[in-house]
Amino acid sequence: MAVDLLLGLQWGDEGKGKIVDVLTKNYDVIARFQGGPNAGHTLEFDGIKHVLHTIPSGIFHDNAINLVGNGVVIDPVIFKKELDNLAKFDLDYKSKLLISRKAHLILPTHRLLDAASEASKGKAKIGSTLKGIGPTYMDKTGRNGIRVGDLEMDNWEEKYRALANKHQAMIDFYKAEIEFDLAEMEAQFFEAIEVLKELTFIDSEEYLFQAQKEGKSILAEGAQGSLLDIDFGTYPYVTSSNTTAAGACTGLGVAPSRIKEVFGIFKAYTTRVGSGPFPTELFDSYGETMGRVGREFGATTGRPRRCGWLDLVALKYAVQVNGVTQLMMMKGDVLSGFDKLKICTAYKYKGEDIAHLPYNIERENVQPVYTELKGWKEDLTTMRDPSEFPQELNDYIDFLEKELEVPIKIVSVGPDRTQTIHR
Ligand code: IMP
């Protein structure tokens, strides 16, 4: 059986957690393939809101196995907190949560290095979530990292100490003014490691290979968004992993030829949290309304998200890089009551209109060129069928489908599972 992918097409926070939760009933295995606790996947059902950071969003269903793949970086302390939250809901997670031995561990000193590096950058800071993501992936590619499988070996604490000592020298080098109590952080870390060790560690590529042979259905769950991809995003204002489709192959050990559907998720407008270019960003009442009605605050850091019109140039780029086969439009309900809706269909770049993403999309380099559509007044949150959609919403959807040349299969009209309309 083939593997399907689910990816965010913008700067993250598109609503991947909600859609994975909705789709899980169709899959035997849900597998996270990159990123770490910088992600915040929000799910709402039965009047309760759950936020997951590392654990795949299929965990609330009985039928699915949830796998944390080799491409993910795990902070045991945050992982333990996630498990504690699940335990509050009497969820038997142990029987359906598997962890790749090849996933890398985020050490306390990785978090400190993240903070020291950001503090040293001044105005050029990335706006990192400070979860230690960058330094952990640096140690992975630098071939110094500690992996989950190392915890099964006798000498892992020696390896830990050598790496933590090296990190301390690097932290000193930054001369950054950051306050921390490493002894306390390490105590929490080692306590959490013991909890992690109670879970099942596996050779996940072999597990997924066998699952495919047995005809099981697999959904690979992405984190962050395509424009935060380390290669294809707005570098250096990106995260440190491949958030695009190719990342699922390396982050799980799934061959490209096995991938079937690529579900691309986008918001009906655009948001970004942290620093970096954002051509359609709004600083007026429209942007303020999107932020307020859409409750646009980071699920991991609580930071307000920057808001703007839908950027079709960037979205088309993401559709192409990922080979998206089906689109899902989130938060259409937030735009109810807008008198007009603007969609960026080109950039003014060096005096010309261009329809592709150039190397540099900083404000001084590109200015958005907009097409204007009429807004709708109706409240979408109570709608459950596309036949109820106002004409203006159908026009908005038709315009996007024509431009992107990919069907929009799901329109989400609220955070709850039930507010998901299939077309
Ligand atoms: P880092 O991955 O925590 O180092 O953050 C790098 C950049 O990616 C920052 O601008 C973050 O705000 C952004 N970022 C990281 N994870 C997420 C996410 O899950 N949603 C949205 N933005 C994210």
Coordinates of all heavy atoms in Angstrom, one line a residue, residues 226-261:
S226 N 6.2 24.7 4.2 CA 7.1 24.7 3.1 C 8.0 25.9 3.1 O 9.2 25.8 2.7 CB 6.4 24.5 1.8 OG 5.6 23.4 1.8
L227 N 7.5 27.1 3.5 CA 8.3 28.3 3.4 C 9.3 28.4 4.6 O 10.1 29.3 4.6 CB 7.4 29.5 3.3 CG 6.5 29.5 2.1 CD1 5.5 30.7 2.1 CD2 7.3 29.5 0.8
L228 N 9.3 27.4 5.5 CA 10.3 27.3 6.5 C 11.3 26.2 6.3 O 12.1 25.9 7.1 CB 9.6 27.1 7.9 CG 8.8 28.2 8.5 CD1 7.9 27.8 9.7 CD2 9.7 29.4 8.9
D229 N 11.2 25.6 5.1 CA 12.1 24.5 4.7 C 13.5 25.0 4.7 O 13.8 26.1 4.1 CB 11.7 24.0 3.3 CG 12.5 22.8 2.9 OD1 13.6 23.0 2.3 OD2 12.0 21.6 3.0
I230 N 14.5 24.2 5.1 CA 15.9 24.6 5.2 C 16.4 24.9 3.8 O 17.3 25.8 3.7 CB 16.7 23.6 6.0 CG1 18.2 24.0 6.2 CG2 16.7 22.2 5.3 CD1 18.4 25.1 7.2
D231 N 16.0 24.2 2.8 CA 16.5 24.5 1.4 C 15.6 25.4 0.6 O 16.1 26.3 -0.1 CB 16.5 23.1 0.7 CG 17.8 22.3 1.1 OD1 18.9 22.7 0.6 OD2 17.6 21.4 1.8
F232 N 14.2 25.2 0.7 CA 13.3 26.0 -0.2 C 12.6 27.1 0.5 O 11.8 27.8 -0.1 CB 12.4 25.0 -0.8 CG 13.1 24.0 -1.6 CD1 13.2 22.7 -1.2 CD2 13.7 24.3 -2.8 CE1 13.9 21.7 -2.0 CE2 14.4 23.4 -3.6 CZ 14.5 22.1 -3.2
G233 N 12.8 27.3 1.8 CA 12.1 28.4 2.5 C 12.9 29.7 2.4 O 13.8 29.8 1.6
T234 N 12.4 30.6 3.2 CA 13.0 32.0 3.1 C 14.2 32.1 4.0 O 14.3 32.8 5.0 CB 11.9 33.0 3.6 OG1 11.3 32.5 4.8 CG2 10.8 33.2 2.6
Y235 N 15.3 31.4 3.6 CA 16.5 31.3 4.3 C 17.1 32.6 4.6 O 17.1 33.4 3.6 CB 17.5 30.4 3.5 CG 18.7 29.9 4.2 CD1 18.8 28.8 4.9 CD2 19.9 30.7 4.1 CE1 19.9 28.3 5.6 CE2 21.0 30.3 4.8 CZ 21.0 29.1 5.5 OH 22.2 28.7 6.2
P236 N 17.7 32.9 5.7 CA 17.9 32.1 6.8 C 16.8 32.0 7.8 O 16.9 31.4 8.9 CB 19.2 32.7 7.5 CG 19.0 34.2 7.2 CD 18.3 34.3 5.9
Y237 N 15.7 32.7 7.5 CA 14.5 32.7 8.4 C 13.7 31.5 8.2 O 12.5 31.5 7.7 CB 13.7 34.0 8.2 CG 14.6 35.2 8.4 CD1 15.1 35.9 7.4 CD2 14.9 35.6 9.7 CE1 15.9 37.0 7.6 CE2 15.7 36.7 9.9 CZ 16.2 37.4 8.9 OH 17.1 38.5 9.0
V238 N 14.2 30.4 8.6 CA 13.6 29.0 8.4 C 13.9 28.2 9.6 O 14.6 28.5 10.5 CB 14.2 28.4 7.1 CG1 13.8 29.1 5.8 CG2 15.7 28.2 7.2
T239 N 13.3 27.0 9.5 CA 13.7 26.0 10.6 C 14.8 25.1 10.0 O 15.3 25.3 8.9 CB 12.5 25.2 11.0 OG1 12.8 24.4 12.2 CG2 11.9 24.2 9.9
S240 N 15.3 24.1 10.7 CA 16.5 23.4 10.3 C 16.3 22.1 9.7 O 17.2 21.2 9.7 CB 17.4 23.3 11.6 OG 17.8 24.6 12.0
S241 N 15.0 21.8 9.2 CA 14.8 20.5 8.6 C 14.1 20.7 7.3 O 13.7 21.8 6.9 CB 13.9 19.6 9.5 OG 12.6 20.3 9.8
N242 N 14.0 19.6 6.5 CA 13.2 19.7 5.2 C 11.8 19.4 5.5 O 11.4 18.3 5.8 CB 13.8 18.7 4.2 CG 15.1 19.2 3.5 OD1 16.1 18.6 3.7 ND2 14.9 20.3 2.8
T243 N 11.0 20.5 5.5 CA 9.6 20.4 5.8 C 8.8 20.0 4.5 O 7.6 19.7 4.6 CB 9.1 21.8 6.2 OG1 9.3 22.7 5.2 CG2 9.8 22.3 7.5
T244 N 9.4 20.0 3.4 CA 8.7 19.6 2.1 C 8.7 18.1 1.9 O 9.3 17.4 2.7 CB 9.4 20.3 1.0 OG1 10.8 20.1 1.1 CG2 9.2 21.8 1.0
A245 N 8.0 17.7 0.8 CA 7.7 16.3 0.6 C 9.0 15.4 0.7 O 8.9 14.3 1.2 CB 7.1 16.1 -0.8
A246 N 10.1 15.9 0.1 CA 11.3 15.1 0.2 C 11.7 14.7 1.6 O 12.3 13.6 1.8 CB 12.5 15.8 -0.5
G247 N 11.4 15.6 2.5 CA 11.7 15.3 3.9 C 11.1 14.1 4.5 O 11.6 13.4 5.4
A248 N 9.9 13.7 3.9 CA 9.2 12.5 4.4 C 10.0 11.3 4.0 O 10.0 10.3 4.7 CB 7.8 12.5 3.8
C249 N 10.7 11.3 2.8 CA 11.5 10.2 2.4 C 12.7 10.0 3.3 O 12.9 8.9 3.8 CB 11.9 10.4 0.9 SG 10.6 10.5 -0.2
T250 N 13.4 11.1 3.6 CA 14.6 10.9 4.4 C 14.2 10.8 5.9 O 14.9 10.2 6.7 CB 15.5 12.1 4.3 OG1 14.8 13.3 4.5 CG2 16.1 12.2 2.9
G251 N 13.1 11.4 6.3 CA 12.7 11.4 7.7 C 12.0 10.1 8.1 O 11.7 10.0 9.3
L252 N 11.7 9.3 7.2 CA 11.0 8.0 7.5 C 11.7 6.8 6.8 O 11.4 5.6 7.2 CB 9.5 8.0 7.1 CG 8.6 9.0 7.9 CD1 7.3 9.0 7.2 CD2 8.5 8.6 9.3
G253 N 12.5 7.0 5.8 CA 13.0 5.9 5.0 C 12.0 5.3 4.1 O 12.0 4.1 3.8
V254 N 11.1 6.2 3.6 CA 10.1 5.8 2.6 C 10.6 6.2 1.2 O 11.0 7.3 1.0 CB 8.7 6.4 2.9 CG1 7.8 6.2 1.7 CG2 8.1 5.9 4.2
A255 N 10.6 5.3 0.2 CA 11.1 5.6 -1.1 C 10.1 6.5 -1.8 O 8.9 6.4 -1.7 CB 11.2 4.3 -1.9
P256 N 10.6 7.4 -2.7 CA 9.8 8.4 -3.4 C 8.7 7.6 -4.2 O 7.6 8.1 -4.3 CB 10.7 9.1 -4.3 CG 12.1 9.0 -3.7 CD 12.1 7.7 -2.9
S257 N 9.1 6.5 -4.8 CA 8.1 5.8 -5.6 C 6.9 5.2 -4.8 O 5.9 4.8 -5.4 CB 8.8 4.6 -6.3 OG 9.4 3.7 -5.3
R258 N 7.0 5.2 -3.5 CA 5.9 4.7 -2.7 C 4.8 5.8 -2.4 O 3.8 5.5 -1.8 CB 6.4 4.1 -1.4 CG 7.5 3.1 -1.5 CD 7.1 1.9 -2.2 NE 5.8 1.3 -1.6 CZ 5.2 0.3 -2.1 NH1 5.6 -0.2 -3.2 NH2 4.1 -0.2 -1.5
I259 N 5.2 7.0 -2.7 CA 4.3 8.1 -2.2 C 3.2 8.3 -3.2 O 3.4 8.4 -4.4 CB 5.1 9.4 -2.0 CG1 6.0 9.2 -0.7 CG2 4.2 10.6 -1.8 CD1 7.0 10.2 -0.4
K260 N 1.9 8.4 -2.7 CA 0.8 8.5 -3.6 C 0.2 10.0 -3.4 O 0.6 10.8 -4.1 CB -0.3 7.5 -3.2 CG -1.3 7.3 -4.3 CD -2.2 6.1 -4.0 CE -3.5 6.1 -4.8 NZ -4.6 5.9 -3.9
E261 N -0.7 10.1 -2.5 CA -1.3 11.5 -2.4 C -0.5 12.4 -1.6 O 0.1 12.0 -0.6 CB -2.7 11.4 -1.7 CG -3.7 10.5 -2.4 CD -4.2 11.1 -3.7 OE1 -4.1 12.4 -3.9 OE2 -4.5 10.3 -4.6

